[in-house]
Amino acid sequence: MASILVAGGAGYIGAHTCLDLFNKGFTPVVYDNLSNGHAEFAKWGPLEVGDIRDRGRLDEVLRKYRPLAIIHFAAAIEVGDSTKDPGFYYENNVAGTINLLRAAQAAGIDKIVFSSTCATYGIPTSIPIDEGHSQSPINPYGRSKLIVEQILRDLDLYQGFRSVILRYFNAAGADPEGRIGEWHSPETHAIPIAIETALGRRPYFQVLGTDYDTRDGSCVRDFVHVLDLAAAHTSAIAHLLNNGGSCALNLGSGHGTTVKELLATVQHVVGRDFEIKQGPRREGDSPALVADNALAERALGWSPRHDLQSIIVTAFNWHSNYLPI
Ligand SMILES: NC(=O)c1ccc[n+]([C@@H]2O[C@H](COP(=O)([O-])OP(=O)(O)OC[C@H]3O[C@@H](n4cnc5c(N)ncnc54)[C@H](O)[C@@H]3O)[C@@H](O)[C@H]2O)c1
């Protein structure tokens, strides 16, 4: 079977993508330093523990498996953290990616799918956001992703190194069978925190900012099921293997949900109330991020199949029955 190197494949979105790749006939080779991933998530292909900043280790693994292409999830992912230690974000996310790209080129690989983010748009001037919207990230995490996007564009322009840049909005949900799910430590994402609160593992949910210029004062986000994201990656690989050109695509549901609306939906779907407190804004958060996802449909035939209810049901199943705590 054809191998795909999945850098960061022991993490949340990477592991769901490995499952999708496997189901569609590929062998996902996970390359991960396990800084935020889990060895037990590498269930659908070999796990090679290694850091993207380690060129010798990368060369060794690329020689061993000769993958057709790379999917690159490996990154430090916390907006708040990135404002505390920006240097680490540039070292891990930018220098690490340059190292990975150099290793790929040396191994004769010229195709990559890259995990970017809606955080590259910063504070949008229009909603929904399409790919032509200006990119002005407001935190080092978002800037680290935008720099990589720019590097990938140059590699395409001058060397024909092709990339599909996928800008995810808010990933959420889990494998319905509970084999994998969201497992971040510490957890900073709204849906798992709301579910942990509903399960009594946290005393209350704090809404970070209630004075935004939105319909109820809380931030608006676009939640997209991790299974839909996973499917987009396999389609992006197929696109590149079929000689498709480089592109950058938004992956979101196209629907905006405020944090307060989200909490009401979680309480309704799981049938449990929990305490909600109003808190201050978090540095680096954009008031509203909602995707225009039409280009992904045109380029990859992709559209999301799972709604917010399915996101919450599968996440609740994972957190209540499977997440090791
Ligand atoms: N979760 C979201 O909602 C979201 C939204 C937009 C973009 N993204 C991007 O998607 C990607 C995956 O996110 P996730 O939520 O699955 O995060 P995650 O932390 O679960 O996965 C990232 C994986 O990369 C690994 N990693 C980090 N640095 C590494 C290094 N130097 N070498 C090797 N492995 C390394 C970690 O151990 C982890 O397994 C990230 O690039 C993130 O920036 C995520």
Side-chain angles (χ1 to χ4, degrees):
M1 280 201 295
S3 294
I4 305 294
L5 188 86
V6 185
Y12 170 47
I13 306 170
H16 287 83
T17 299
C18 289
L19 169 59
D20 196 76
L21 285 167
F22 177 81
N23 284 338
K24 291 170 183 161
F26 294 98
T27 300
V29 176
V30 172
Y31 185 89
D32 199 299
N33 68 0
L34 303 181
S35 58
N36 204 26
H38 309 281
E40 51 272 62
F41 274 11
K43 295 178 195 289
W44 293 282
L47 167 64
E48 294 286 349
V49 177
D51 197 293
I52 53 169
R53 292 165 294 177
D54 181 346
R55 177 65 192 269
R57 181 76 180 117
L58 276 173
D59 287 344
E60 190 184 3
V61 170
L62 291 174
R63 260 197 313 273
K64 182 170 169 189
Y65 296 97
R66 306 203 164 279
L68 295 180
I70 295 174
I71 306 182
H72 176 26
F73 295 98
I77 64 163
E78 294 305 335
V79 168
D81 254 15
S82 79
T83 62
K84 292 184 195 116
D85 190 359
F88 174 69
Y89 274 69
Y90 292 115
E91 181 197 322
N92 199 63
N93 297 2
V94 180
T97 300
I98 292 170
N99 204 42
L100 175 64
L101 292 169
R102 301 296 284 164
Q105 289 184 305
I109 297 165
D110 62 358
K111 302 170 195 70
I112 194 165
V113 178
F114 173 62
S115 298
S116 189
T117 166
C118 60
T120 60
Y121 293 115
I123 299 176
T125 53
S126 56
I127 297 275
I129 305 167
D130 68 22
E131 291 80 354
H133 190 287
S134 59
Q135 290 177 286
S136 311
I138 56 172
N139 52 61
Y141 165 70
R143 279 190 281 274
S144 75
K145 293 287 183 175
L146 180 57
I147 292 168
V148 172
E149 287 199 15
Q150 288 162 339
I151 293 169
L152 290 174
R153 269 193 282 275
D154 275 344
L155 263 54
D156 177 48
L157 188 61
Y158 296 105
Q159 297 184 304
F161 186 103
R162 284 175 301 124
S163 53
V164 176
I165 293 166
L166 298 175
R167 297 183 190 139
Y168 322 146
F169 284 63
N170 284 67
D175 166 37
E177 293 180 35
R179 293 166 290 186
I180 46 177
E182 194 159 5
W183 182 4
H184 291 134
S185 317
E187 186 53 77
T188 60
H189 294 116
I191 289 183
I193 291 178
I195 287 172
E196 285 177 7
T197 315
L199 289 167
R201 296 176 192 158
R202 291 175 183 251
Y204 58 86
F205 185 105
Q206 188 170 49
V207 180
L208 299 176
T210 52
D211 58 348
Y212 287 102
D213 184 17
T214 59
R215 53 185 172 266
D216 61 19
S218 62
C219 288
V220 176
R221 291 291 178 268
D222 178 336
F223 297 97
V224 57
H225 202 299
V226 69
L227 294 184
D228 285 323
L229 292 182
H233 288 77
T234 312
S235 299
I237 285 291
H239 169 87
L240 290 172
L241 294 178
N242 289 327
N243 291 321
S246 294
C247 50
L249 308 171
N250 285 340
L251 296 182
S253 70
H255 301 291
T257 305
T258 71
V259 173
K260 288 183 182 173
E261 289 164 353
L262 172 72
L263 296 175
T265 311
V266 170
Q267 290 183 331
H268 174 74
V269 171
V270 310
R272 300 182 193 198
D273 280 344
F274 49 83
E275 190 181 349
I276 298 170
K277 288 190 180 177
Q278 323 250 331
R281 294 182 180 198
R282 180 172 58 182
E283 193 184 341
D285 270 346
S286 183
L289 293 163
V290 182
D292 177 332
N293 58 18
L295 192 58
E297 166 126 50
R298 289 205 295 280
L300 301 180
W302 178 86
S303 59
R305 291 172 194 281
H306 302 274
D307 61 10
L308 186 59
Q309 161 117 1
S310 150
I311 287 174
I312 294 169
V313 167
T314 55
F316 187 71
N317 177 46
W318 162 253
H319 281 271
S320 43
N321 298 320
Y322 298 99
L323 173 67
I325 48 169

